[in-house]
Amino acid sequence: MAIPPGINESDFTAALAEFENAVGKDWVFTRDEDTRLYRDAFSPVQNEPEEILVSAAVAPDNVEEVQAVVRTANRYGVPIYPISTGRNLGYGGSAPNLSGSVVLDLKRMNRVIEVDDKRHFAIVEPGVSYFDLYRYIQDRNLKVLIDCPDPGWGSVVGNSLDHGVGYTWGLYRDHFIAHSGMEVVLPNGEIMRTGMGALPGAESWGDYRYGFGPHVDGLFSQGGFGVVTKMGFHLMPEPEAYLKGIVTVPARQDIVDLTAMVNQLEHQGIIGMPNYNTPLAPHLATPEVSAMLSQPFAQAAQELERWAQGNELGYYSVELQFYGPRETVQSNWRYAQRLIGDIPGATFETLHELEWPIAADEAEGLHKVALGIPNLEIFRLGTRQSADTLGWDGEMWFAPIIPKNGEAVLEAQEVFTEAFREAGMPSFTHPASTPQTWMYRAFVFLMGFPVSKVDVAANQRQREMFTHLANLGAEHGWGEYRTPPIFQDLVMSHYSFNDHVLRRFSETLKDAVDPNGIISAGRGGIWPRHLRDRSA
Amino acid sequence: MKHLMTALTIVGLLLSMSSGAQVPEDGQTSRELGILLEAPESRAELIARGEAVYEYWCNACHGPEMLKPGTAALAIKYQGALPAALTERTDMVPEFVEQMVRQGISMMPFFRPTEVSNADLGALTAFLTDNSGD
Ligand SMILES: Cc1cc2nc3c(=O)[nH]c(=O)nc-3n(C[C@H](O)[C@H](O)[C@H](O)COP(=O)(O)OP(=O)(O)OC[C@H]3O[C@@H](n4cnc5c(N)ncnc54)[C@H](O)[C@@H]3O)c2cc1C
């Protein structure tokens, strides 16, 4: 039996017995065949000494059981790590930051407490997946859309607590901002409610997120301050219509005007999520274009642009998505064309027009999450693409935040592409790379690094490059919004203004709220006092 | 679909009998599948439960539509030698299903007993191997 660090065997045995008392024997897992199911399935350190493993897992069914488990853990100093559905693939999966922790698996707590389609909110427990919430809403014919991440199997709560993101309208797709009120079991076992939930008898938990006083909810996201057992979320009312149009522009520099115009649309609430891309994508791997791209950046960029213009392909595209009344989506699309029409050579095409209720076959082949329909189709990315090659075994996401403008995109293209060239590695970026737009007010210059279940050397190379890019990005003022546990200390070290006062402040709070350091030690780069020398 | 509804009704019944699993009074959908802790006695019930587990946990990747990533990947892998959709396979053995669910493969991660319990895995296995030759 694996034992958590800093605990003696008899204390751990006693704690496990108390866990069994609290949740029932069936829901305490200590055998290897069960505990290995809490590894990170996409671990970039798989089968290496650094791989993070767990000593046990405990799966309570309700908040009283969570309290009992937390009290026991606190008494014996057992490190615990709460997960909701534990599908944080690409950012650490179900594995904790501290090897040997006991995972608190909240999957069984899967009650939808309430969905209101007049005030537009939901209150859910951690085990509720996007699929579950969608089904609940569909079965009751409620007129609200959910905003889901690409994989629908994740937890509405867990995704939000790692600052997860989705695909519809403005602030709905920033899942932490979209939350309203939480219930948390604190490290001493007490239950706290935030926002209006703190006021006994208030019925506005799902409506108003701040209540009164300091807004402490942020401590429970990417931090080890408590176990969240319920959360409210604002939902978007089901609109009448959806329209998606695509804009193409011909020149590399056009991204500067294009992003400014799209921001102008988005920040007034005229469009939902814009999807930037390049029409060159299908051609990048051809021998002609890849030879072009292997040159130093400035030359590669110049030739690529000339090639794109010679072939009349366009250089960037952006899909604009309109949600709202039938007439409004049409006139908003016309306005967008008038605005962006100022870019010489811009072209426009209407792609899809739908009205709710959207039948399953109408959504087939579309990006379903933009319509609020959870699914797993994203996993076609990376799975086997030909009979004689295996697909990836997973990926880790490199996700730096850059400013929401074209100048930053141009700079990030160059900085990262040159870094790959200098390292002699095939580049994940190129002079036409475009950012992800999940955050309402920032871009993410996302890259997926492949991980292997068998090729340790390849994983090591990918980790080195990941680390290099994270450091390089930080020199340019770009920092990750989220990262797998093995990089969390590094990323936190980049947020270093005034001698790391942000981290030191969080550590002060951590020591006060969780003096035994039992909850999610190391999460977000914040370690409890007794483990602090672990982080650089 | 009708098939599935029948399955779910049976599941409701099974859950009320099995130890540990709870069905909330208001019948909230998210808990409808619940978690099975003991195998039902009759084979028909077992297979119906297996189908419900399949619909809930597997279908989003392995359904018959070619856009589903598991099905798309298997179509490329087998090149027509075997059906790409799992429900059309007649060659699956229990050990194979168990291994896939508990170990995963390639991009497919493993599933835990808090998701697919051992009893549910047994039911799923019965469902997926039901049409395999002995
Ligand atoms: C192909 C692919 C596509 C992806 N696309 C997206 C996407 O579009 N958007 C996106 O956001 N992500 C995406 N991801 C990343 C990830 O898979 C999802 O964010 C997923 O929803 C996170 O897992 P989860 O919901 O199961 O949360 P969990 O794994 O349960 O939770 C995440 C973390 O939050 C903390 N936590 C969870 N629950 C609690 C609790 N109750 N109390 C305290 N702390 C808690 C823990 O630290 C936990 O590790 C993608 C991943 C892959 C592989």
Side-chain angles (χ1 to χ4, degrees):
Chain A
M1 181 175 69
I3 292 176
I7 308 291
N8 67 50
E9 190 167 342
S10 69
D11 277 359
F12 191 51
T13 308
L16 288 175
E18 288 188 26
F19 291 158
E20 286 186 356
N21 265 340
V23 303
K25 262 190 171 10
D26 281 324
W27 303 111
V28 177
F29 302 99
T30 53
R31 291 182 310 177
D32 283 355
E33 63 188 83
D34 292 321
T35 56
R36 66 175 180 73
L37 301 175
Y38 293 90
R39 292 163 83 170
D40 175 6
F42 288 5
S43 173
V45 285
Q46 200 140 161
N47 302 317
E48 292 183 64
E50 298 96 317
E51 185 175 1
I52 301 165
L53 301 172
V54 316
S55 56
V58 184
D61 181 62
N62 55 53
V63 65
E64 291 76 23
E65 292 183 9
V66 172
Q67 287 181 283
V69 170
V70 169
R71 287 202 179 103
T72 295
N74 199 29
R75 190 154 358 94
Y76 292 99
V78 174
I80 56 177
Y81 187 79
I83 60 169
S84 291
T85 51
R87 294 268 163 221
N88 204 8
L89 298 165
Y91 296 112
S94 42
N97 289 59
L98 177 67
S99 219
S101 298
V102 173
V103 167
L104 190 57
D105 178 348
L106 304 175
K107 178 63 203 167
R108 292 175 65 218
M109 293 176 59
N110 60 356
R111 297 165 191 88
V112 175
I113 310 294
E114 188 180 358
V115 176
D116 189 310
D117 72 346
K118 305 293 182 297
R119 281 145 65 202
H120 310 118
F121 65 79
I123 299 176
V124 295
E125 288 188 335
V128 174
S129 70
Y130 292 95
F131 283 130
D132 293 332
L133 183 57
Y134 180 73
R135 248 177 238 131
Y136 181 98
I137 288 166
Q138 292 298 105
D139 287 356
R140 287 158 182 77
N141 200 21
L142 300 172
K143 298 295 175 198
V144 278
L145 277 201
I146 61 170
D147 186 292
C148 7
D150 261 317
W153 56 16
S155 154
V156 182
V157 169
N159 177 282
S160 163
L161 292 177
D162 208 26
H163 299 167
V165 285
Y167 289 90
T168 66
W169 186 280
L171 296 175
Y172 293 115
R173 62 178 200 266
D174 179 331
H175 296 160
F176 193 70
I177 286 189
H179 100 272
S180 184
M182 39 172 84
E183 178 184 88
V184 194
V185 173
L186 297 172
N188 65 2
E190 254 187 316
I191 306 182
M192 175 171 83
R193 288 184 177 172
T194 70
M196 295 310 295
L199 196 155
E203 288 176 8
S204 41
W205 170 327
D207 301 305
Y208 184 60
R209 62 171 68 92
Y210 303 127
F212 187 74
H215 186 236
V216 297
D217 295 32
L219 292 174
F220 305 100
S221 69
Q222 294 189 357
F225 289 89
V227 180
V228 177
T229 48
K230 287 185 189 69
M231 265 172 105
F233 291 92
H234 290 173
L235 301 176
M236 175 164 151
E238 187 180 281
E240 187 174 61
Y242 169 84
L243 185 151
K244 177 149 107 179
I246 188 166
V247 182
T248 307
V249 294
R252 180 163 179 263
Q253 285 291 331
D254 287 341
I255 195 74
V256 173
D257 287 341
L258 185 64
T259 49
M261 290 165 177
V262 172
N263 287 353
Q264 174 75 13
L265 294 172
E266 191 181 15
H267 299 169
Q268 295 182 72
I270 289 173
I271 54 168
M273 176 164 169
N275 299 315
Y276 291 94
N277 208 330
T278 171
L280 303 175
H283 308 279
L284 295 173
T286 59
E288 187 186 3
V289 178
S290 52
M292 219 179 276
L293 293 179
S294 64
Q295 307 172 88
F297 186 85
Q299 200 172 347
Q302 216 173 38
E303 288 185 23
L304 184 67
E305 186 176 45
R306 213 176 301 134
W307 187 85
Q309 288 174 350
N311 289 287
E312 293 182 19
L313 289 167
Y315 198 89
Y316 300 109
S317 61
V318 61
E319 292 173 350
L320 303 179
Q321 307 186 85
F322 303 85
Y323 299 82
R326 199 175 295 141
E327 300 81 2
T328 313
V329 298
Q330 294 292 345
S331 65
N332 281 342
W333 177 215
R334 280 198 299 278
Y335 169 62
Q337 297 183 48
R338 176 154 63 82
L339 184 73
I340 303 174
D342 278 349
I343 299 180
T347 62
F348 303 89
E349 187 190 342
T350 305
L351 295 178
H352 308 294
E353 291 175 80
L354 298 170
E355 290 195 9
W356 272 270
I358 294 173
D361 61 329
E362 286 182 286
E364 215 42 61
L366 306 188
H367 195 206
K368 297 194 176 78
V369 286
L371 306 170
I373 307 170
N375 64 88
L376 291 174
E377 288 171 10
I378 188 69
F379 282 94
R380 270 177 303 161
L381 264 186
T383 47
R384 191 188 275 269
Q385 306 290 326
S386 75
D388 49 4
T389 54
L390 285 172
W392 291 1
D393 288 336
E395 66 253 299
M396 49 180 178
W397 299 117
F398 176 64
I401 295 282
I402 66 168
K404 199 177 178 182
N405 64 25
E407 289 85 349
V409 174
L410 293 171
E411 189 186 353
Q413 289 172 344
E414 179 160 3
V415 166
F416 289 126
T417 307
E418 278 298 87
F420 280 106
R421 213 175 59 82
E422 280 162 18
M425 274 180 79
S427 183
F428 301 154
T429 62
H430 49 73
S433 289
T434 51
Q436 301 298 317
T437 51
W438 304 302
M439 281 73 183
Y440 181 50
R441 290 291 182 136
F443 285 154
V444 181
F445 211 76
L446 186 82
M447 298 173 216
F449 281 70
V451 301
S452 170
K453 287 193 164 78
V454 288
D455 191 344
V456 168
N459 287 345
Q460 280 167 351
R461 279 195 305 277
Q462 301 295 354
R463 267 148 42 208
E464 269 167 35
M465 194 60 192
F466 191 113
T467 305
H468 176 56
L469 293 194
N471 286 329
L472 185 66
E475 287 166 22
H476 289 82
W478 308 325
E480 283 62 61
Y481 88 99
R482 185 178 179 190
T483 198
I486 56 165
F487 301 110
Q488 287 178 11
D489 291 344
L490 174 75
V491 168
M492 195 49 176
S493 78
H494 293 149
Y495 286 80
S496 61
F497 172 77
N498 193 13
D499 191 22
H500 304 270
V501 63
L502 178 64
R503 187 181 66 202
R504 290 186 285 110
F505 180 75
S506 297
E507 288 169 350
T508 305
L509 294 177
K510 175 77 179 167
D511 294 343
V513 175
D514 183 12
N516 299 321
I518 56 159
I519 299 197
S520 305
R523 191 76 192 156
I526 307 303
W527 292 93
R529 195 197 308 272
H530 71 282
L531 296 171
R532 209 161 284 158
D533 56 354
R534 293 170 59 99
S535 61
Chain B
M1 198 58 207
K2 192 162 155 273
H3 219 52
L4 177 65
M5 289 320 292
T6 327
L8 285 174
T9 323
I10 297 173
V11 165
L13 211 85
L14 290 176
L15 285 174
S16 51
M17 301 185 312
S18 66
S19 66
Q22 288 177 6
V23 183
E25 268 95 53
D26 62 358
Q28 287 156 350
T29 325
S30 68
R31 304 206 103 195
E32 223 160 59
L33 184 68
I35 295 173
L36 190 68
L37 287 182
E38 274 165 35
E41 275 174 19
S42 98
R43 178 136 184 104
E45 283 174 337
L46 183 72
I47 288 174
R49 173 72 191 175
E51 183 173 7
V53 171
Y54 176 86
E55 286 289 334
Y56 190 92
W57 286 108
C58 317
N59 190 58
C61 269
H62 287 286
E65 302 85 358
M66 287 310 290
L67 283 174
K68 303 263 164 88
T71 305
L74 292 178
I76 293 168
K77 177 171 181 178
Y78 295 131
Q79 299 284 310
L82 288 171
L86 298 183
T87 44
E88 289 162 27
R89 292 271 290 269
T90 55
D91 65 318
M92 292 212 280
V93 295
E95 296 71 26
F96 179 74
V97 178
E98 282 157 18
Q99 187 184 338
M100 288 302 131
V101 172
R102 290 286 187 247
Q103 291 180 25
I105 183 167
S106 173
M107 292 277 284
M108 173 182 159
F110 41 73
F111 290 78
R112 299 177 267 272
T114 49
E115 299 170 316
V116 180
S117 68
N118 290 336
D120 273 334
L121 181 53
L124 176 67
T125 301
F127 169 65
L128 284 176
T129 57
D130 191 39
N131 51 5
S132 302
D134 329 57

